[in-house]
Amino acid sequence: MANGLRKGLTSYGDAGFSLFLRKAFIKAMGYSDDALDRPIVGVTNTYSDYNPCHGNVPQIIEAVKRGVMLAGAMPMVFPTISIHESFAHPTSMFLRNLMAMDTEEMIRAQPMDAIVVIGGCDKTLPAQIMAAASVDLPTVVIPVGPMVVGHHKGEVLGACTDCRRLWSAHRAGEIDAEEIEIVNSRLAPSVGTCMVMGTASTMACITEVLGLSLPMSATIPAPHAERFRLAEASGRRAAEMAVNGGPTPSELLTPAAFRNAAVVMQSIGGSTNGIIHLTAIANRTPHGFDLDVLDEIGSKVPVLIDLKPSGAHYMEHFHHAGGMPKLLAELGDLIDGDAQTITGKTLGEIAADAEIVPGQDVIRPRDNPIKAEGSMAVLYGNLAPRGAIIKRSAATPRLLQHTGRAVVFQSVEDMAARIDDPDLDVTADDVLVLLNTGPKGAPGMPEAGYLPIPKKLGRQGVKDMVRISDARMSGTAFGTIVLHITPESAVGGPLGLVQSGDMICLDVAGRSINLMIDDAEFERRRAAQPVVLPVEANLPARGYARLFQQTVTQADAGCDFDFMLANRDSASAK
Ligand code: FES
């Protein structure tokens, strides 16, 4: 098979001419024949003025290039889509699959023997790993790293668990307009990803346990010199992989690796979004990902990392306590230590090398966990025949068993219009229900599952209520919140049958979420649903929105496009 510049020649019907032409053009950049004869390491550039989380990407790229060249190969940087959470309309999840396709096709289209993908803000690492799994070229992943923490009035704070907490305090009248503006300038004090255990941190940890990045890559703060040394080492390793032809993603992304990822997700108090992304990555391989396995692991694996929103600390503290290798060491036999990594070492060998940090209390031993059980549970019931997720480690314990009256909002717009209405008929014991916010319904499954506490209840000191939806929630959020109800209401899922005043029973110990109406009433409401659902009748006329609406899968298949899955016959791909 051809390597380097000879790979994937543009089709002119004459291979010799194709190479001649390619070299003629690339020489316009000043490259020598010696440089062009080297193995090529592609490097994705996801820097964007719209993506402050990726603000250190130019410096990471320089370090990667240095590493690649020190190892005798040729780095070639190319741009791909970049997505930031706060700058993506209607929601970043709508664009994740577009970024995955862009990344995959540009890796396939351009000559390279290995690839370094640099990402971090929530959807970017999943998109890049989905692409890498499909292309199956030797891949090194570099997360951009977490922000450092901010401070306000002697309190340590950060994006964006504290964004939500302090905004709620502002809504409740506890923080005035002037102070909330000061807080606004202190929540994100550096480039890098949110420094709590949100989706970005969760996916960086998952990337490391999947063996796709170098040890400590998940936790080194974005501005630290160590991050750039890691980038240099990643470039060097990618150059070696370009020469060796491996390891490839398919050699690393095994069933054992995905199980290890589920163990880590539970033990870090990971973001619920991580489940969707891990499912999407696994569905790009023949192995898939089973929600029931995640739940079963959750009953055996404790939460060991003391990070917000489940705990008290931030990513830099996790890093200084020993990072992922130390967590793997504490997890011990809960992890399959034989799983391979890009380093050539197994996970077990990496855990054995973990730094011992005297007195640290961020990474707990198994006999002194933050929570005895894993962070996430999978629920089923007449409201969620194909499953729903709750992050119990970030919930109010007394609400994990709760029956309450439904207060239904038909859409995000309906909720925004009515949630703070002083005349809204709602009490703290009610269950807030949000419809039409799933993959097709919104579309793009926005992070709307964290319904705000109605202002009038917030002012009475209510901090949490049971809230249920087919939406997602930011990994930085907290509360007793049931998410990803599948199938979603917009495609006829039973969540759409709930009416205000119905009783809903949440039983996390029993793993159930049920609408308390009898079967006859259930069927009567189902029969009254329109034959052609609004989401089908109002299909976008053109473009990516149409492709998305027609082919996006439900949450239990990872919300990837149905035609991108490795196993397209999978029942859950519907
Ligand atoms: Fe980029 Fe949180 S907004 S990681």
Side-chain angles (χ1 to χ4, degrees):
M1 198 177 120
N3 314 359
L5 214 64
R6 290 164 184 77
K7 269 185 103 172
L9 290 171
T10 310
S11 179
Y12 293 114
D14 175 346
F17 176 70
S18 295
L19 182 61
F20 173 77
L21 204 60
R22 176 174 283 180
K23 286 180 84 169
F25 278 116
I26 198 70
K27 281 181 176 172
M29 301 276 280
Y31 290 112
S32 65
D33 282 321
D34 179 22
L36 297 176
D37 278 342
R38 306 285 176 131
I40 295 177
V41 175
V43 184
T44 65
N45 183 358
T46 53
Y47 179 80
S48 160
D49 283 349
Y50 290 104
N51 194 344
C53 296
H54 290 203
N56 62 353
V57 165
Q59 209 177 339
I60 290 179
I61 288 174
E62 282 312 305
V64 171
K65 288 167 75 174
R66 192 162 63 238
V68 170
M69 288 191 278
L70 283 169
M74 177 71 188
M76 295 200 71
V77 181
F78 63 97
T80 71
I81 291 171
S82 188
I83 307 169
H84 183 272
E85 286 302 291
S86 300
F87 285 92
H89 177 80
T91 171
S92 59
M93 190 65 177
F94 180 67
L95 298 168
R96 183 201 64 182
N97 297 348
L98 185 63
M99 181 173 179
M101 292 178 87
D102 171 29
T103 306
E104 175 178 343
E105 294 307 323
M106 293 318 286
I107 296 172
R108 288 189 192 281
Q110 302 170 132
M112 60 192 82
D113 303 297
I115 174 79
V116 175
V117 294
I118 303 165
C121 194
D122 292 17
K123 307 302 175 293
T124 56
L125 285 179
Q128 291 171 324
I129 300 172
M130 288 159 70
S134 293
V135 179
D136 206 25
L137 194 71
T139 303
V140 176
V141 183
I142 306 180
V144 295
M147 298 175 205
V148 292
V149 297
H151 295 82
H152 178 64
K153 290 189 172 171
E155 188 191 1
V156 176
L157 47 80
C160 239
T161 301
D162 298 311
C163 311
R164 293 170 203 286
R165 180 175 61 80
L166 295 169
W167 183 251
S168 296
H170 173 58
R171 278 172 56 86
E174 294 160 17
I175 292 180
D176 65 22
E178 197 180 331
E179 186 176 352
I180 200 73
E181 279 307 312
I182 295 171
V183 165
N184 187 262
S185 304
R186 297 179 174 173
L187 283 161
S190 77
V191 298
T193 49
C194 294
M195 64 293 231
V196 296
M197 192 48 81
T199 305
S201 302
T202 300
M203 291 313 301
C205 294
I206 295 296
T207 303
E208 196 170 324
V209 75
L210 287 173
L212 296 170
S213 56
L214 295 185
M216 306 299 275
S217 63
T219 54
I220 301 169
H224 280 201
E226 203 181 343
R227 164 101 5 227
F228 306 111
R229 280 193 287 276
L230 176 124
E232 183 184 302
S234 298
R236 194 184 270 276
R237 183 65 192 128
E240 292 163 0
M241 290 162 64
V243 172
N244 298 338
T248 56
S250 61
E251 291 171 299
L252 302 175
L253 297 177
T254 62
F258 287 121
R259 190 178 169 87
N260 284 342
V263 170
V264 162
M265 189 130 57
Q266 293 284 16
S267 68
I268 59 178
S271 159
T272 46
N273 286 324
I275 302 172
I276 292 182
H277 298 318
L278 186 60
T279 304
I281 293 165
N283 278 337
R284 292 291 184 106
T285 76
H287 312 305
F289 185 73
D290 189 344
L291 281 183
D292 294 342
V293 172
L294 178 78
D295 189 80
E296 171 234 312
I297 287 171
S299 58
K300 294 187 202 134
V301 176
V303 178
L304 296 182
I305 302 297
D306 189 4
L307 246 66
K308 289 192 172 191
S310 299
H313 298 288
Y314 296 85
M315 283 298 278
E316 65 185 81
H317 307 123
F318 181 17
H319 178 64
H320 298 311
M324 283 293 294
K326 177 63 175 164
L327 173 64
L328 296 175
E330 293 296 349
L331 286 169
D333 62 3
L334 292 169
I335 287 282
D336 183 339
D338 291 335
Q340 297 292 323
T341 72
I342 54 162
T343 63
K345 291 183 178 176
T346 64
L347 275 189
E349 289 167 332
I350 288 170
D353 289 343
E355 185 181 351
I356 311 282
V357 179
Q360 70 82 15
D361 62 354
V362 180
I363 306 169
R364 300 284 190 87
R366 273 161 70 180
D367 60 6
N368 181 27
I370 299 294
K371 313 257 175 184
E373 291 184 306
S375 58
M376 285 174 267
V378 181
L379 311 173
Y380 292 96
N382 66 7
L383 274 180
R386 280 166 49 189
I389 301 293
I390 185 165
K391 186 170 179 178
R392 59 187 158 182
S393 62
T396 303
R398 71 176 168 79
L399 290 176
L400 292 174
Q401 203 84 25
H402 183 81
T403 301
R405 191 184 60 139
V407 177
V408 177
F409 301 96
Q410 292 297 326
S411 64
V412 174
E413 294 73 24
D414 180 34
M415 180 193 69
R418 294 195 296 124
I419 191 88
D420 290 334
D421 184 341
D423 295 329
L424 182 68
D425 180 12
V426 65
T427 73
D429 292 330
D430 290 337
V431 175
L432 303 180
V433 182
L434 178 60
L435 309 183
N436 296 309
T437 46
K440 291 185 193 243
M445 207 180 178
E447 289 186 342
Y450 179 77
L451 286 82
I453 301 295
K455 224 173 209 169
K456 66 179 180 183
L457 296 181
R459 294 216 155 118
Q460 292 164 23
V462 176
K463 299 267 189 259
D464 192 14
M465 294 171 70
V466 175
R467 290 159 268 180
I468 74 171
S469 72
D470 42 20
R472 295 177 301 114
M473 167 176 95
S474 165
T476 62
F478 55 92
T480 311
I481 299 174
V482 178
L483 303 153
H484 309 181
I485 288 182
T486 307
E488 64 174 301
S489 52
V491 299
L495 180 67
L497 305 179
V498 181
Q499 298 174 357
S500 287
D502 289 342
M503 297 304 283
I504 290 176
C505 178
L506 169 66
D507 174 7
V508 176
R511 297 292 191 272
S512 68
I513 178 88
N514 282 301
L515 178 61
M516 309 299 281
I517 59 174
D518 62 33
D519 291 349
E521 176 62 10
F522 211 94
E523 286 315 312
R524 192 191 64 73
R525 291 187 192 179
R526 194 184 287 283
Q529 282 184 316
V531 179
V532 179
L533 294 162
V535 78
E536 294 161 351
N538 301 321
L539 201 60
R542 59 178 293 280
Y544 179 73
R546 187 177 176 88
L547 176 75
F548 187 96
Q549 201 80 328
Q550 285 179 318
T551 64
V552 71
T553 57
Q554 293 289 291
D556 59 346
C559 301
D560 199 357
F561 295 148
D562 55 12
F563 58 89
M564 299 302 285
L565 310 186
N567 179 4
R568 286 185 284 282
D569 298 331
S570 148
S572 61
K574 304 290 182 294

